[in-house]
Amino acid sequence: MTEIKKHSTRRYCSPIQGIFRSAAQLLLLKPGIWGVLSVHVHGRENLRKFQGKGAFIVISNHSSHFDAPLVVGALPQRLSRRLAIAAAADYFFRAWYKALPTRAFFNTFPVERDKSTRYKGLSSNLLSDGVPILVMPEGTRSRTGAIAEFKPGVAALSIKHQAPVVPMAIVGAHAAWPPGAKIWCSGRPPVHINLGEPLTSKSGESIEQFNQRLRNAVVELYNLKRS
């Protein structure tokens, strides 16, 4: 645990790397994604009073490789510039050519999806050091586009660190680039991103109850009618 913290969190806290990453996201990543999709962001007013000082957690439904860059691009820069993004260790961190670009553009940190404990506690370490994180609570991309049950990790982390949770929902990314497809659809398919108000656990609320409330918030945002 101590070795993970000393070795791994320093880079995520680096202001110099944060400056370069924000510039890359603003000048390269966002124009690239917004260029192949017709992106519409709703609910920015829900975050006007949220300054994002200290640690917080961003969550979203997950059904496409577009999801992480869409979340980063939709968030105000004051919230996205230090954001570290959870990524599957077995997919993104087993080969350098996958790990390098995701780290450079997304400040990714590895999360194990199997029984490995190599990176155990890293999410908690980041929050302890004041680094906000993005986690997709479904754990993997939905193959149908429907929102699966949430794993309780986010709720547990939020309660432990008293970290607010910012819910988001992405509508249309699954159709634009579904799992299994080698490339996204042409023609700039429409994608809507709905931002919700930050949530915190209530007094006496269990991890399971808070986890369900978080999922309900994302489902409600997903079901909002947008034109």
Side-chain angles (χ1 to χ4, degrees), residues 78-112:
R78 70 178 189 278
L79 302 181
S80 66
R81 65 174 177 265
R82 295 177 60 244
L83 190 67
I85 300 177
D90 59 302
Y91 187 90
F92 289 102
F93 287 88
R94 295 294 186 256
W96 68 267
Y97 56 85
K98 287 184 179 180
L100 186 62
T102 56
R103 279 176 167 164
F105 279 100
F106 299 114
N107 203 24
T108 52
F109 65 95
V111 174
E112 297 286 4

Side-chain angles (χ1 to χ4, degrees), residues 30-142:
K30 186 172 181 177
I33 298 299
W34 263 241
V36 299
L37 300 173
S38 177
V39 182
H40 310 271
V41 182
H42 315 275
R44 286 194 178 100
E45 65 277 6
N46 291 322
L47 298 178
R48 283 176 186 161
K49 296 181 180 180
F50 183 63
Q51 296 303 312
K53 296 179 180 178
F56 59 91
I57 306 171
V58 180
I59 63 172
S60 172
N61 60 306
H62 190 25
S63 64
S64 171
H65 280 317
F66 277 134
D67 293 338
L70 285 168
V71 168
V72 170
L75 284 171
Q77 193 176 16
R78 70 178 189 278
L79 302 181
S80 66
R81 65 174 177 265
R82 295 177 60 244
L83 190 67
I85 300 177
D90 59 302
Y91 187 90
F92 289 102
F93 287 88
R94 295 294 186 256
W96 68 267
Y97 56 85
K98 287 184 179 180
L100 186 62
T102 56
R103 279 176 167 164
F105 279 100
F106 299 114
N107 203 24
T108 52
F109 65 95
V111 174
E112 297 286 4
R113 295 191 291 187
D114 53 25
K115 295 182 179 180
S116 173
T117 60
R118 181 180 179 185
Y119 301 109
K120 184 178 180 180
L122 182 51
S123 300
S124 186
N125 289 342
L126 289 167
L127 292 172
S128 293
D129 286 348
V131 179
I133 63 175
L134 165 63
V135 180
M136 307 294 191
E138 292 167 274
T140 189
R141 287 173 295 161
S142 169

